[in-house]
Amino acid sequence: MAFVPVPRASVSDHVFGQLRDAIVAGRHRPDENLPGERELAAAFAVNRHAVREALRRLQQLGLVRVSQGGATRVLDWRVHAGLDLALSLARSGDVLPVETLVRDMLEMRACVGVDAARLCAERADAAAVAALVHAAEEYGTLAPDLDRMAEANIRIWRLVVRGSGNTAYQLAFNSLVAGTFAVGDVPPDARAAELLDVAGHRRLAAAVASGQGAAAARHARALLTAPVTTHTPTPTGREARA
């Protein structure tokens, strides 16, 4: 067990992070048992309470299953984990070993956004519609500053998703944009085709304002699939950040 002893501050965080990374990287494979609490505590040079807390958090992420009084079994993160795993890694600067992660998250964002736009056109109240139209009009004044446009783009989509009235979409959106744009470390210039389409954002807002769900979905699809079709794949040998 080549674990590194950790500082006394936030020891459970360090134990959790090292075990999480070891599982995600495949150093502990699905259906294997982790060492017991006592052995882990000795390897990390921490008390068993810190180990127990770390295992509890790993279980919440879907990385292990802790049996009461028994072994801690490693789970396949591809089967049991959710978006919380990507966010946990993003906060610590770690990576998922998936070279297509950026593309995958952008595709998920597009799926959620297209249907949220349709529902927003059908369900949003007058105040929500007015806020979206205003945001779309202001959006054009930011061009060609891609950094500011990226921030405004998130505000526009937050209004769309909120106007959809779909709580699950809102939670998924929050996950996708937590911290920096958490569909990966996608720099704004890699999304230039989407961000610089000021007319497309205004067409989306106009379709929502007129209650045209199908048209709103069509304009949303045109905007949100642009980064997927134009984004440069992650170079070979480099993993995508979550």
Side-chain angles (χ1 to χ4, degrees):
M1 298 293 291
F3 292 119
V4 180
V6 297
R8 286 295 149 206
S10 303
V11 291
S12 67
D13 288 344
H14 290 274
V15 175
F16 163 76
Q18 289 192 52
L19 287 173
R20 177 201 59 203
D21 293 350
I23 292 170
V24 171
R27 295 195 293 275
H28 291 290
R29 302 184 66 80
D31 293 325
E32 289 183 356
N33 288 338
L34 288 180
E37 286 184 8
R38 183 171 300 172
E39 186 177 348
L40 287 172
F44 285 112
V46 300
N47 60 45
R48 292 179 67 177
H49 175 76
V51 171
R52 195 171 300 121
E53 173 63 17
L55 293 177
R56 181 188 65 80
R57 293 170 62 188
L58 291 171
Q59 182 167 246
Q60 289 176 334
L61 281 183
L63 296 181
V64 301
R65 178 169 292 134
V66 180
S67 302
Q68 187 171 5
T72 299
R73 185 166 65 89
V74 176
L75 300 177
D76 187 342
W77 64 264
R78 291 174 174 83
V79 176
H80 297 278
L83 284 176
D84 285 350
L85 174 60
L87 297 182
S88 172
L89 288 162
R91 293 188 194 103
S92 64
D94 292 325
V95 298
L96 275 177
V98 180
E99 292 187 356
T100 60
L101 182 63
V102 171
R103 180 207 66 190
D104 298 345
M105 298 290 269
L106 285 168
E107 288 175 347
M108 178 182 174
R109 171 178 173 260
C111 289
V112 171
V114 168
D115 199 50
R118 176 186 65 82
L119 293 174
C120 185
E122 297 172 356
R123 296 175 176 173
D125 58 27
V129 170
L132 175 60
V133 170
H134 178 70
E137 286 300 318
E138 284 198 332
Y139 182 75
T141 67
L142 302 177
D145 187 332
L146 289 178
D147 289 326
R148 294 181 66 197
M149 294 181 85
E151 295 175 0
N153 173 270
I154 290 176
R155 291 194 292 271
I156 286 174
W157 283 105
R158 189 176 298 281
L159 290 169
V160 170
V161 174
R162 187 175 299 167
S164 76
N166 186 303
T167 301
Y169 284 172
Q170 291 181 58
L171 295 175
F173 176 86
N174 291 340
S175 294
L176 288 169
V177 301
T180 55
F181 195 73
V183 295
D185 286 337
V186 185
D189 58 356
R191 298 173 52 222
E194 172 196 357
L195 296 178
L196 291 175
D197 189 357
V198 173
H201 285 80
R202 288 175 176 166
R203 284 193 294 268
L204 169 62
V208 169
S210 60
Q212 300 178 36
R218 185 172 65 253
H219 296 314
R221 182 176 293 106
L223 288 169
L224 295 176
T225 58
V228 179
T229 57
T230 61
H231 179 63
T232 302
T234 302
T236 303
R238 186 178 129 208
E239 294 172 333
R241 287 197 177 273

